[in-house]
Amino acid sequence: MKETEIRPDDLRAEGKRLYKIDQEKILSKKSLFVEIKCPACGKNDEELFYKRDGFNFVKCISCETVYVNPRPTQEMVFEHYKTSLAEKFWNENVYPRSEESRIKYIVQPRIDKIIELCKKHKVHTSSFMDIGAGCGIFCEQVKKTGIFKEVFAVEPDPSPAQSCRERGLYVIEDFIENISLKRIDVITSIESIEHVFDPKKYIRSIYDKLHDGGLLFIATPNIKGFDLLVLKDKSDNTTAPDHLNYFHPKSISLLLGNAGFEILEIETPGKLDAELVRNKAKEGVVSLDNQPFLKRILIDEGDTYMDSFQKWLSDNGLSSHMWIVARKHGSK
């Protein structure tokens, strides 16, 4: 998989322009931002990680979670997603263009993994819920398997919610914290928890909606992964207000464990770390001149080493893309 297959080059500039407008809109209310404690461990001991676009990214000294602080309030976050110009652009342009590649490289492997784990852990498959369903590609493919009797797409943003409906999905156009539906067998949170104001409330809300013994699948960035550690504030994946929380395997395990979940597995199956860093180096955004080993692997002899280096990152828990599987305590 190449980055351009899921994020077409010719659409990036417009997406970034619209995102800048979204940022300026929310930053106009910066005086109303609120201070929070660490979203993973709850401690109030932090140090500056970096500043970017008017937002402070701090690192918890205790558990090393990275998060935006101060941050927009819950109401501001909700409003942002309901009115975001960039989100609407991605839904109407980027996702349709890249749908085939996303299904092949991202969606189908995840679905295969979910089905495999449901069988392994003897989980009922009466109901499935995807939180932050976007344009509905994932839910649509899940529905096509016929494994689950009911498939619910939770999407608060009006534009992608409409796209979900056009795919024939049952859509709940709201935030998970506001939904009363319960007794779901499997819930997925794909690239969502990094966006929320209060991860503890978010996870507890998910816990309350699952059957005892039900499974939760989370995909989110790993702040201790290769490309995020190397690029930091130069990464396209470290921007606010969309991304407010950056966990790593230990800190997200702490968050989930405190909410009552049993961690079944954590892996980092990312495929783009090496390419993302190489692209930024070639663009002159970052320099690898003082890192001759990385320069050799990624630039000078990239055709020889890139694929094996990426596999090594993924196999050793060092990719910046993280996948967590957890089970709600209780009898099935």
Side-chain angles (χ1 to χ4, degrees):
M1 180 176 73
K2 300 298 181 184
E3 184 183 13
T4 55
E5 293 181 282
I6 60 171
R7 304 178 191 122
D9 278 341
D10 61 314
L11 298 178
R12 288 188 192 180
E14 180 63 6
K16 288 181 179 180
R17 185 187 73 81
L18 294 172
Y19 189 67
K20 191 66 177 176
I21 295 173
D22 289 340
Q23 283 183 318
E24 290 171 354
K25 180 179 178 181
I26 208 163
L27 283 169
S28 69
K29 304 174 183 177
K30 191 173 182 178
S31 62
L32 301 176
F33 284 13
V34 294
E35 295 274 352
I36 67 159
K37 296 179 181 179
C38 175
C41 71
K43 294 186 178 178
N44 192 22
D45 193 12
E46 64 191 40
E47 61 184 9
L48 184 65
F49 195 58
Y50 59 79
K51 293 185 177 183
R52 182 172 188 177
D53 302 330
F55 296 90
N56 290 343
F57 290 75
V58 302
K59 182 171 74 172
C60 175
I61 294 174
S62 178
C63 74
E64 298 185 287
T65 297
V66 173
Y67 54 103
V68 172
N69 202 28
R71 62 177 52 191
T73 65
Q74 178 81 84
E75 293 73 22
M76 290 180 193
V77 172
F78 283 176
E79 179 66 16
H80 165 69
Y81 283 107
K82 288 187 175 182
T83 61
S84 169
L85 298 175
E87 289 290 320
K88 187 173 187 293
F89 177 79
W90 270 69
N91 179 64
E92 295 177 354
N93 297 275
V94 179
Y95 293 137
R97 174 92 72 82
S98 61
E99 181 168 335
E100 185 176 336
S101 293
R102 287 175 180 273
I103 291 173
K104 178 180 178 180
Y105 294 115
I106 301 175
V107 172
Q108 197 56 53
R110 286 174 176 167
I111 293 174
D112 293 342
K113 181 74 171 180
I114 289 168
I115 293 173
E116 172 192 329
L117 285 165
C118 285
K119 292 178 180 178
K120 178 180 178 180
H121 296 287
K122 298 180 173 60
V123 176
H124 296 297
T125 56
S126 293
S127 53
F128 173 93
M129 175 186 286
D130 183 36
I131 303 171
C135 64
I137 297 173
F138 186 69
C139 275
E140 182 180 43
Q141 297 303 311
V142 168
K143 187 176 179 180
K144 285 181 179 179
T145 67
I147 298 294
F148 296 92
K149 295 178 182 177
E150 294 181 290
V151 175
F152 301 98
V154 177
E155 177 50 60
D157 187 337
S159 177
Q162 180 56 32
S163 295
C164 287
R165 293 188 187 93
E166 291 170 0
R167 294 177 186 272
L169 298 171
Y170 184 96
V171 183
I172 303 174
E173 193 175 324
D174 206 340
F175 296 91
I176 189 66
E177 296 89 341
N178 300 331
I179 296 170
S180 59
L181 192 65
K182 292 182 181 291
R183 304 182 69 79
I184 306 297
D185 294 311
V186 175
I187 294 179
T188 54
S189 171
I190 309 297
E191 279 88 46
S192 292
I193 192 171
E194 63 269 26
H195 298 252
V196 305
F197 171 79
D198 187 341
K200 288 184 180 181
K201 182 178 179 181
Y202 176 81
I203 290 298
R204 187 66 213 187
S205 180
I206 293 174
Y207 185 91
D208 290 343
K209 290 167 180 59
L210 275 170
H211 261 305
D212 287 347
L215 293 187
L216 167 62
F217 298 82
I218 294 178
T220 191
N222 168 24
I223 194 59
K224 290 194 174 184
F226 178 70
D227 77 79
L228 292 187
L229 275 182
V230 174
L231 298 178
K232 292 182 73 173
D233 60 317
K234 302 299 191 295
S235 169
D236 292 337
N237 294 317
T238 55
T239 58
D242 277 10
H243 290 184
L244 300 172
N245 316 291
Y246 289 91
F247 301 98
H248 54 83
K250 287 184 179 179
S251 69
I252 200 160
S253 296
L254 177 65
L255 174 66
L256 291 168
N258 287 340
F261 281 100
E262 172 192 4
I263 306 298
L264 299 179
E265 66 174 63
I266 297 180
E267 58 184 75
T268 62
K271 301 181 184 297
L272 292 176
D273 299 71
E275 183 186 354
L276 291 172
V277 174
R278 180 182 63 176
N279 289 345
K280 291 297 183 184
K282 286 186 172 181
E283 293 168 9
V285 176
V286 296
S287 174
L288 299 179
D289 290 342
N290 294 326
Q291 301 185 64
F293 181 71
L294 288 183
K295 185 172 181 292
R296 180 186 176 192
I297 290 176
L298 301 180
I299 306 295
D300 300 337
E301 300 178 56
D303 291 342
T304 301
Y305 296 117
M306 282 272 291
D307 290 346
S308 57
F309 180 62
Q310 181 63 52
K311 186 177 186 304
W312 180 81
L313 292 172
S314 299
D315 291 347
N316 288 279
L318 298 172
S319 166
S320 290
H321 171 65
M322 182 166 55
W323 175 252
I324 305 96
V325 184
R327 176 168 53 193
K328 179 176 179 178
H329 282 301
S331 59
K332 299 183 183 68

